[in-house]
Amino acid sequence: MTCLHLLLTLVFAVSLGTPVEIQRPRGVPLTKKQFYEESKPFTCLDGSRTIPFDRVNDDYCDCKDGSDEPGTAACPNGSFHCTNAGYRPMFIPSSRINDGICDCCDTTDEYNSGAKCENTCKELGRKEREVLQKMAEITKEGFLLKQQLIEEAKKGQQEKQSKVTDMQENKKQLDEKVEALRTVKETAEQPEKEAKERHLKAWEEQKAAIRLEKDKAKMAETFLELDDNEDGFVSVSELQSHAELDPDADGTLTEIEAQGLMGGAEQVDTSTFESVWPKIKDKYHSEAEEPAPVETPPDEVKEPVVDNDSEPYPEDDISEEEDEDDEDEDDYHEDDDKVMCLCVVQAQPTIKTPEKTHEDEEAMPPYDADTQALIDAAQKARDDFEEAEKALREMDDQIRNIEKELSFDFGPDAEFTYLYSQCYELTTSEYIYRLCPFNRVSQKPKYGGSETNLGTWGSWSGPENNKYLLMKYEQGTGCWQGPNRSTTVKLTCGKETVVTSTSEPSRCEYLMEFTTPAVCQEPANIDPSPHDHVEL
Amino acid sequence: MGLLSVVCVSLFFSSTFAVDRGNFKTCDQSAFCKRQRALKPGQSPYRALLETLELSDSRLTLQLINDNNKVHLLLELYRLQGNMTRVKINELKPLKPRFEVPDVLIAEPPTEPLSVLSKDDNGVVLSLGAENQRLIVSARPFRLDIMEGPEVLLSLNSRGLLAFEHLRLHKDTLDFSLPGVEHVYGIPEHADDLKLKTTDGGDPYRLYNLDVFQYELYNPMALYGSIPVMLAHNTQRTMGIFWLNAAETWVDISSNTAGKTVFGKMLDFVQGSSEKPQTDVRWISESGIIDVFIMLGPKPSKVFSQYASLTGTQSFPPLASLGYHQCRWNYNDQEDVKSVDQGFDQHDIPYDFIWLDIEHADGKRYFTWDPHKFPQPKEMLQGLMDKRRKMVSIVDPHIRVDSGYKIHNEITSKDFYVKNKDGKNYEGWCWPGNSGYPDFTKPEMRAWWASMFAYDQYEGSMENLFTWNDMNEPSVFNGPEVTMHKDALHGKWEHRDIHNIYGLYVQMATAEGQIQRSGGVERPFVLTRAFFAGSQRYGAVWTGDNAAEWDHLKISIPMCLSLGLVGVSFCGADVGGFFKNPSTELLVRWYQTGAYQPFFRAHAHLDTTRREPWLFGPENTALIREVIRQRYALLPYWYQLFYQAHKTGMPVMRPLWVDYPKDTATFTIDDEFLIGSDLLVHPVTEEGSRGVTAYLPGAEEVWYDVHTFQKHNGAQNLYIPVTLSSIPVFQRGGSIIPRKDRVRRSSTCMENDPYTLYVALSPKKFAEGELYIDDGHSFNYDTKKEFIHRSLTFANNALTSSNLCPDCNFLTSSWIEKVLILGASKPSKVLLKMDGKETPVDFEFDTSMSVLTLRKPGMNAGADWTLLLQ
């Protein structure tokens, strides 16, 4: 039979180095001592009922709020206070009293469970002070660095601001210059165009004359070729030997068809052949030349190269990453739900144009000196104009970039400005993680493989009182059957700017820890001498 | 010059979220099923050759002949102790021996004498013991009828469907007729209603252990496990048919009343012309012999004990395994495990087990740890042990083919792998890639496997590390229907012969390993996905890869009820749903349901978002905390029910008809259930529900709402308005349930905590219950009788604790802190009588709900005492 009595504890509170004994029921914090007076009936702290004082800590729950059993596990909602002298006091749920697990460093929660607990408060206090001290140093130095960062950022910002202003002024001038050069260019181009057209027209006329002459010669040559018996006439039968002239393309040139070509005549002489020639010249194959080779168009190079990843089980030993990929894609080995990447390496068809066999047209003769002079002048005007226009575009880009940078929220004092356009890497056993603040987060397998986007800059997303403690990067590469990858970057105070850890707490939701002086708070101006926690 | 351009096309073949039926066979696609099913009822070609009848004391043999092909069969009949009959049919001279399933029966079932009452040319009448039962063997055509008095209880081959295929592989079929039966249950595992449906016009229920990706609900497709046991029930009698065959099996059910409307049935009744309702069942197996156990009841509890006498009872689990389990595919690394563990403490939610899925092992080499993610497994396990918590790691039966892997090398050198038909090691694809499959049918293999769980073999393991056997159907990604080829060889037997029992062997060997590593002292805990008749002896079962959908929450109830009816009490479904992300409402409702199901584990797919209980806002965290605490408070009751299940075969989670077998209104209920006899649970499984209608059974009963103590009469449909915090649960008037209302971080932390007794009075002011206490984890309850088993009785205004096991020996420091008597009247005085002394006990009386609370009577839970109300 277990019967627990009212257990009073002796509590040592260290105040100004003098131990003072304060008596109160087990598990009651000093702040509530006045409610537990041994001489009086106890009223539950919620006021719900009053019980004799011997029912306080009697291991039976009488108060709905659990306040009658601060030192036992009897109430489901009670809480137990441990003083933890040398460390910090704390409340634990009363369900942790005598459960065989040491929760309070002063061992007071396990007074009847047989658990062997050691008082570790001093050790914990010492460690905590060390940590706090170290933290304080880091904070102090970090905060100094932060001031510099703020200084630099302010300076940089001002510089950029004035640079933008300067550039905008310059841009105006450049705008004018571009406009002026455009006029010059257009003025120079008009005479150039006219001179060129004149030159071209003369050339076209010359070419037409040459073509006509050539046709005539060809006609005469053909006549001679067709006139097999050399009687000065081309007859129907002579024409029929050229099956390629067949008008209905049935493969034979019949007598009637040949007669048709010859305008109904049985035979034609050189002069009447002139009316036959236009009907046959396109199809006619000279007997002297080989039939034109038929160009076969080259096969398009279009071999689908199936990515190895879609082979469900690569033959070789599967490395860790591939393992994971397999599961990503195969999951429960269901083909139908598989993501397949069909990668097609496609060569742009290189169509061989047949070399020109008939160099029947001579090149255009060079421009005459006057025309050439006009062209040169126009070209110079064009070059000048384009150069000016390019300079204008570049300046626009520069202005836009600076304005973009200036538009970012770099913190209340612009202390995060220095992170802009920087990247920080962390290499783990499998991946190289890369954080480019205000831009993107990515992950790349250490041993080859393509980069995965873990999110692009979204917003500051810390708690309301300090949103600058978390960065959110969103809309990264999509996950199979899941959301797009995203990353939360947690910022903590540090002297150095460095990615300290990454993890994937939930599928495709990454967490990155990042230290930077920019979040270091001004150290509280308190003497960091060892402090004993005194509860009051 | 050609420009090279790379075109990358991502093709996302998205099917609707459902099983790909094309992957799995229908009866029509299964040659033997189609062929055998095509046989139509009619004159059986089989004839009993009565002149061959031989009767020894308890065994009758008789030859049957198929008049069409003149092949002889040998029929063996046994009368078994405990009102069962066994019928075996095999070929008299098989061309090739047929497989008989070993290791399912716990012993050769003891027989009783049979005697011939009469015999003539038409048949033989045998006496079946003292219960006025007879077995009639008709000669031409052959059929068997079991009669009690003038009633036929069950007939075999009455439809003439007995068939043995001889030249082909060994297919066999037999039909059973169940006169007077309209309700049949069992033959899990199917994602279907509790009451089995007729299969006319559709596929038969299929029993073939398969890894089904994203299974669909409400159909007879095969799932991960198979228990070929069917229960038939009507108001007069409950019977069971146990078809002991481990090959692929299909079960057809037809009924002469299935198509009739209620009005039609009434008309039949009024006109008196009705044919008797009858259910006909046909079993079709691909190979093996016919070996059938007919369990004649007549009460439900009797059928459970009959089946338990054949295949054993539910293993008695360690108490902690009845607590809450936190699982996910995957907890990423040691840090993750630590932070989840801390999360439970921060949010003051109890749990006992955290689980590691396949990613914990080094390249899916089971029995190893990923050196980057889990470099210090013992440190991690020690951290959990310091919190009095435990862990489960997965160990699957597919072994990575890798010459650098100890397990693979040893199995290879011992020649323990399953072979393909050419005699080479069978290999298939599974999580690790190319894998071998140990031949668990070999006893030497199982012994070796068990030895791998020794602390010096399984490096990094400790006594608080337990095991999960997944993928043991076995799952073979590139095999037919995602399982092993049927012509793979297990010694001289083909895989087709043993398929459905493979998973049982895996769990058997694993559980044995856990027992051995402790020198036989500690009880094992092993979860399995595949199972067979007898699997209940080795641990827990879950319903596999379900989905975060309301219908999946609903189906978890009939799925576990069906398993409970055929021996497997330790059943649960993945809380929250494995695939997909549950809505917050669904997740809360699933916790509320899962907390009242035997195996209570949350689990989630790798691609789902995290869903630890505290990730859905403080209100929902509070709701989940509350229901997990309700679970922990009731652990003494759960534990006692598992003790009872272990001793008697009574299911822990039960359909209502088991306790109310004459109340036809209960026969099809599967949206509510009983835990033991005393708690009725109607989980809320509808989205946005404002209320549920629960059927409270028993005209003589009263039921008390466990949250408000309000009393309701039995035999009524009660509408209960609900909010998101409601979990309708009722305690039966007449029962006493011990609880531990001081909920702590884990069940182990609650070991020495006091009990509160919830005494719910019947209308006759009577109540009884039990209290079972032992160390919670060892076999000492069995080997040394170290337990406390007490009977608690409230009668004549006195509550008495008396010893049910006087020669037992166990000391507890738990005591009785409070007694609540529901439905009481106000006494003037309460006295505790103990050790010959009487001491007054403080009490309070709540008039509005008639609840009497006895304050801190304080007696030790193992003591004899009486509380007198005056």
Side-chain angles (χ1 to χ4, degrees), chain B residues 343-630:
Chain B
F344 277 93
D345 289 345
Q346 273 157 25
H347 298 91
D348 204 15
I349 299 171
Y351 89 96
D352 271 84
F353 282 81
I354 186 164
W355 292 53
L356 295 180
D357 209 324
I358 50 174
E359 312 299 328
H360 86 278
D362 182 11
K364 320 286 190 300
R365 296 172 189 89
Y366 308 109
F367 298 101
T368 71
W369 304 84
D370 183 297
H372 300 293
K373 299 169 185 163
F374 296 92
Q376 303 292 341
K378 282 197 174 177
E379 198 180 293
M380 170 176 68
L381 287 165
Q382 186 60 51
L384 290 169
M385 198 179 280
D386 291 345
K387 294 265 192 79
R388 311 184 80 177
R389 287 173 179 149
K390 296 161 178 63
M391 175 171 262
V392 167
S393 62
I394 198 164
V395 177
D396 288 351
H398 49 260
I399 302 300
R400 181 165 169 157
V401 173
D402 169 4
S403 59
Y405 179 26
K406 180 183 90 171
I407 299 286
H408 166 69
N409 290 341
E410 288 207 32
I411 296 173
T412 308
S413 70
K414 291 179 193 302
D415 201 21
F416 279 158
Y417 276 125
V418 174
K419 305 284 183 230
N420 63 29
K421 62 173 189 274
D422 309 323
K424 298 204 178 87
N425 285 345
Y426 177 89
E427 287 180 2
W429 287 102
C430 210
W431 296 125
N434 198 24
S435 305
Y437 291 78
D439 189 354
F440 282 91
T441 65
K442 283 192 174 124
E444 320 84 83
M445 160 59 209
R446 295 198 299 272
W448 173 83
W449 179 266
S451 74
M452 287 300 102
F453 288 89
Y455 297 120
D456 57 349
Q457 292 293 328
Y458 188 171
E459 283 174 36
S461 69
M462 281 174 49
E463 58 268 35
N464 64 340
L465 181 67
F466 296 83
T467 313
W468 174 14
N469 292 148
D470 197 358
M471 316 297 281
N472 52 338
E473 294 75 24
S475 178
V476 181
F477 292 170
N478 58 342
E481 299 189 88
V482 204
T483 192
M484 192 170 277
H485 292 77
K486 282 181 171 170
D487 60 1
L489 292 171
H490 302 259
K492 65 173 179 167
W493 299 109
E494 284 193 317
H495 184 69
R496 85 181 71 244
D497 296 315
I498 67 95
H499 176 85
N500 282 346
I501 199 178
Y502 186 86
L504 175 144
Y505 279 129
V506 175
Q507 193 190 19
M508 178 198 246
T510 305
E512 184 55 33
Q514 277 186 18
I515 295 170
Q516 279 177 19
R517 71 176 185 178
S518 71
V521 174
E522 297 295 324
R523 285 178 243 163
F525 171 69
V526 182
L527 178 72
T528 184
R529 192 169 72 181
F531 52 81
F532 189 63
S535 285
Q536 70 269 17
R537 304 193 297 261
Y538 307 111
V541 162
W542 96 108
T543 62
D545 299 343
N546 61 1
E549 293 172 358
W550 288 92
D551 277 349
H552 274 269
L553 168 59
K554 277 187 203 110
I555 205 83
S556 70
I557 301 171
M559 286 180 83
C560 280
L561 286 175
S562 296
L563 276 162
L565 289 175
V566 296
V568 179
S569 267
F570 205 1
C571 169
D574 284 347
V575 169
F578 178 65
F579 292 112
K580 311 218 298 183
N581 294 307
S583 67
T584 304
E585 185 191 358
L586 175 58
L587 185 69
V588 169
R589 289 300 189 200
W590 212 317
Y591 270 100
Q592 292 171 343
T593 306
Y596 286 92
Q597 292 177 348
F599 177 57
F600 182 26
R601 182 186 74 150
H603 186 33
H605 188 276
L606 186 70
D607 289 315
T608 60
T609 47
R610 292 292 279 242
R611 54 166 99 137
E612 284 69 43
W614 49 88
L615 295 176
F616 301 88
E619 300 87 3
N620 296 302
T621 304
L623 291 171
I624 295 171
R625 177 194 297 123
E626 167 57 26
V627 71
I628 297 180
R629 286 181 167 201
Q630 286 179 23

Side-chain angles (χ1 to χ4, degrees), chain A residues 113-299:
Chain A
S113 71
K116 286 173 195 145
C117 302
E118 276 175 43
N119 190 323
T120 55
C121 292
K122 274 190 184 151
E123 180 64 14
L124 285 171
R126 191 181 58 75
K127 276 191 187 151
E128 189 190 43
R129 278 190 297 279
E130 274 175 23
V131 170
L132 285 175
Q133 204 155 355
K134 210 169 167 191
M135 280 292 295
E137 278 165 29
I138 289 171
T139 307
K140 199 174 152 194
E141 285 180 54
F143 188 71
L144 285 175
L145 288 169
K146 182 181 175 180
Q147 300 313 309
Q148 288 174 27
L149 292 175
I150 291 170
E151 205 60 30
E152 280 165 27
K154 284 201 173 132
K155 225 158 62 190
Q157 231 168 0
Q158 277 163 8
E159 275 169 21
K160 278 178 189 129
Q161 198 65 60
S162 62
K163 196 171 168 196
V164 168
T165 318
D166 290 354
M167 282 166 91
Q168 263 155 354
E169 192 53 43
N170 291 344
K171 191 189 154 212
K172 259 184 221 155
Q173 290 167 14
L174 205 52
D175 269 336
E176 284 162 17
K177 189 177 163 194
V178 167
E179 279 319 302
L181 286 171
R182 189 196 304 281
T183 315
V184 172
K185 182 186 84 141
E186 279 165 7
T187 318
E189 275 174 340
Q190 190 56 36
E192 178 204 27
K193 194 181 162 201
E194 285 164 9
K196 269 184 163 173
E197 276 168 6
R198 273 197 306 278
H199 181 81
L200 194 66
K201 202 180 163 200
W203 167 234
E204 289 295 336
E205 283 165 6
Q206 200 183 334
K207 266 197 301 190
I210 293 169
R211 255 200 306 276
L212 195 62
E213 227 156 88
K214 277 193 177 167
D215 192 47
K216 271 189 182 158
K218 183 98 186 278
M219 181 175 72
E221 202 178 297
T222 304
F223 186 89
L224 291 175
E225 218 171 77
L226 284 172
D227 184 12
D228 290 337
N229 55 6
E230 295 175 27
D231 63 351
F233 292 96
V234 171
S235 66
V236 168
S237 58
E238 282 164 348
L239 195 62
Q240 268 181 291
S241 68
H242 280 259
E244 76 268 17
L245 301 177
D246 176 25
D248 64 1
D250 67 356
T252 48
L253 182 63
T254 61
E255 208 174 309
I256 297 162
E257 282 168 346
Q259 240 167 33
L261 288 172
M262 289 171 58
E266 280 297 317
Q267 54 180 34
V268 287
D269 62 9
T270 46
S271 64
T272 42
F273 188 70
E274 274 177 38
S275 65
V276 178
W277 174 239
K279 296 180 203 163
I280 65 169
K281 67 178 178 187
D282 290 341
K283 288 182 180 173
Y284 183 79
H285 283 168
S286 166
E287 288 159 16
E289 61 189 38
E290 289 291 306
V294 182
E295 280 291 337
T296 45
D299 289 336

Side-chain angles (χ1 to χ4, degrees), chain B residues 629-662:
Chain B
R629 286 181 167 201
Q630 286 179 23
R631 168 63 170 225
Y632 274 77
L634 278 169
L635 281 179
Y637 182 60
W638 282 105
Y639 194 51
Q640 169 199 319
L641 290 174
F642 268 92
Y643 180 71
Q644 188 190 39
H646 177 61
K647 286 290 169 191
T648 68
M650 277 304 283
V652 170
M653 174 180 169
R654 307 169 187 167
L656 271 58
W657 64 259
V658 168
D659 283 73
Y660 299 90
K662 290 186 187 304

Side-chain angles (χ1 to χ4, degrees), chain B residues 80-99:
Chain B
L80 304 183
Q81 285 178 18
N83 202 15
M84 292 181 280
T85 299
R86 182 180 192 177
V87 179
K88 277 175 94 165
I89 304 175
N90 196 352
E91 288 173 282
L92 185 63
K93 289 172 185 157
L95 296 172
K96 203 170 111 180
R98 285 174 178 253
F99 182 69

Side-chain angles (χ1 to χ4, degrees), chain A residues 403-518:
Chain A
E403 277 174 345
K404 187 184 165 198
E405 189 180 340
L406 288 170
S407 75
F408 275 103
D409 177 0
F410 288 129
D413 297 309
E415 62 268 41
F416 298 102
T417 311
Y418 81 108
L419 298 174
Y420 187 76
S421 74
Q422 301 292 313
C423 289
Y424 304 88
E425 284 189 352
L426 177 74
T427 304
T428 66
S429 56
E430 290 171 62
Y431 298 101
I432 299 166
Y433 290 88
R434 195 173 159 88
L435 165 66
C436 303
F438 306 103
N439 184 5
R440 69 198 288 264
V441 182
S442 61
Q443 174 201 53
K444 202 179 164 166
K446 211 162 152 185
Y447 306 107
S450 58
E451 194 179 79
T452 306
N453 181 354
L454 304 185
T456 49
W457 168 246
S459 58
W460 292 105
S461 60
E464 251 171 61
N465 59 1
N466 190 356
K467 66 171 179 170
Y468 299 101
L469 291 178
L470 293 177
M471 287 172 155
K472 189 87 190 162
Y473 293 81
E474 293 153 328
Q475 295 298 319
T477 313
C479 268
W480 182 78
Q481 272 206 350
N484 288 80
R485 287 174 175 78
S486 65
T487 302
T488 301
V489 179
K490 201 174 143 194
L491 284 71
T492 49
C493 166
K495 284 187 277 186
E496 277 155 26
T497 305
V498 60
V499 178
T500 54
S501 76
T502 61
S503 56
E504 189 182 356
S506 195
R507 193 77 174 145
C508 303
E509 291 174 16
Y510 296 81
L511 177 69
M512 194 168 252
E513 305 219 23
F514 185 58
T515 63
T516 162

Side-chain angles (χ1 to χ4, degrees), chain B residues 53-62 75-81 83-88 110-118 124-130 133-137 144-147 296:
Chain B
L53 186 145
E54 286 177 35
L55 179 64
S56 68
D57 187 29
S58 59
R59 176 176 185 256
L60 176 146
T61 60
L62 182 64
L75 168 78
E76 293 174 78
L77 269 173
Y78 301 87
R79 172 65 181 179
L80 304 183
Q81 285 178 18
N83 202 15
M84 292 181 280
T85 299
R86 182 180 192 177
V87 179
K88 277 175 94 165
T111 54
E112 280 180 352
L114 274 170
S115 57
V116 175
L117 292 177
S118 67
V124 186
V125 179
L126 298 155
S127 161
L128 285 180
Q133 287 177 351
R134 279 155 299 137
L135 175 70
I136 299 166
V137 183
L144 295 172
D145 292 277
I146 297 174
M147 314 259 311
L296 292 167

